[in-house]
Amino acid sequence: MASPAAPSAFGRLGFWRGGALLTPELAAAVERLGYGTIWIGGSPAADLALAEQLLGATEHVRIATGIVNIWQSPAAEVAASFHRLERTHPGRFTLGVGIGHREALGDRYQRPYSALVSYLDTLDAEGVPAGRRVISALGPRTLALSAERAAGTHPYMTTPAHTRFAREALGPGPLVAPEQRLVPTTDAAAAHESARGFLSTYLSLANYRRTLESHGFTAAELDDGATDAAVDALAPHGTPAVLAAAVRGHLEAGADHVCVQLLPAREDPLPALAALAGELDLR
């Protein structure tokens, strides 16, 4: 078994994309641009088949899940898949796990913290090292768990204010790797339309709303599609320099690694990724 992944192993910048839109060819192109980690968004299946394809198409970039949903992918099956990937691509895969959303799971969503602890217990028993997994954590309890039983945390739908909170909660050492949405256009109207279409689902989910309202937003700013200022804070748009500044905001707040998600999701991400890589001197 390869050694645990240090925060530096992820690189400063990663790429987050829904699994249905990730291809081996795209992964290889992102690797050539200098990105350190590719995050498979959504809820990857327990077989981790897409991760295996992306690892096979690349040479050194890290592949991570953002995130495997503990209610949908049994821990023992995920552990078996982890070991399969480790045999063929040692040290290059990181398992991101999380508890998902009550709104999507209904009555199945019972005692989520206890369920997450039980899931980690099974991963332990099946030999998945704590240093090779991260937890999608927002609140104090799961952030503490990320430091105690994982390499760190991969928060989603947050801002630098939460990144600062996460770093303070975890202390120095554990990985803090937030996702950041970016809209690569200087057309404010088009950017707001795209961002609002994306954000509408997430702003209706209780855990994200609670987190955002705890870290700088009011309910009024997030209701009814959100104000333009809130949209710009959650999904910045503009030139590559402006987008790079949004990434630096997380790094300056204590992040080790920032994974960017480009909107609209179905557009070719490579031109914007190349421009951002240039602004951040990835190569």
Side-chain angles (χ1 to χ4, degrees):
M1 184 71 65
S3 61
S8 60
F10 291 79
R12 285 184 300 134
L13 192 62
F15 175 49
W16 192 106
R17 192 167 173 88
L21 300 175
L22 268 174
T23 64
E25 295 77 15
L26 178 58
V30 172
E31 179 181 59
R32 289 193 293 271
L33 291 174
Y35 285 74
T37 304
I38 296 172
W39 297 80
I40 302 173
S43 299
D47 63 9
L48 300 178
L50 179 56
E52 188 169 32
Q53 294 173 22
L54 302 184
L55 287 164
T58 54
E59 296 180 2
H60 53 78
V61 69
R62 181 169 296 275
I63 304 297
T65 52
I67 47 80
V68 165
N69 188 306
I70 67 168
W71 310 97
Q72 298 176 4
S73 297
E77 294 180 27
V78 171
S81 299
F82 174 92
H83 291 303
R84 186 185 76 247
L85 300 186
E86 190 65 14
R87 286 191 296 271
T88 53
H89 305 283
R92 291 183 54 210
F93 176 73
T94 294
L95 176 65
V97 301
I99 60 176
H101 308 286
R102 185 181 302 275
E103 292 85 351
L105 292 161
D107 292 340
R108 293 176 58 198
Y109 198 87
Q110 299 292 328
R111 297 175 61 84
Y113 181 83
S114 296
L116 178 58
V117 169
S118 177
Y119 198 93
L120 297 173
D121 289 344
T122 300
L123 293 179
D124 285 345
E126 297 293 332
V128 177
R132 296 291 301 284
R133 61 200 191 205
V134 296
I135 298 172
S136 181
L138 296 175
R141 293 183 77 195
T142 47
L143 284 168
L145 197 66
S146 300
E148 295 165 3
R149 302 198 56 186
T153 183
H154 166 52
Y156 186 87
M157 191 56 60
T158 59
T159 64
H162 183 273
T163 294
R164 187 171 295 105
F165 170 75
R167 174 50 71 202
E168 291 173 355
L170 270 65
L175 176 78
V176 176
E179 168 267 352
Q180 174 62 60
R181 303 134 310 281
L182 300 173
V183 190
T185 179
T186 57
D187 184 332
H192 290 161
E193 180 180 5
S194 176
R196 279 196 172 91
F198 172 84
L199 292 170
S200 60
T201 296
Y202 296 98
L203 294 182
S204 69
L205 299 175
N207 59 346
Y208 291 138
R209 281 296 294 256
R210 182 169 56 249
T211 299
L212 292 171
E213 290 178 25
S214 297
H215 296 281
F217 294 91
T218 66
E221 289 174 316
L222 301 176
D223 287 340
D224 302 320
T227 64
D228 285 351
V231 170
D232 286 337
L234 291 169
H237 72 276
T239 65
V242 169
L243 303 185
V247 171
R248 291 192 186 98
H250 284 282
L251 296 172
E252 292 166 359
D256 303 286
H257 169 89
V258 181
C259 48
V260 298
Q261 177 178 191
L262 298 178
L263 304 176
R266 293 189 175 276
E267 291 190 359
D268 179 7
L270 289 176
L273 290 176
L276 190 61
E279 288 288 337
L280 293 170
D281 298 322
L282 291 192
R283 305 197 61 176

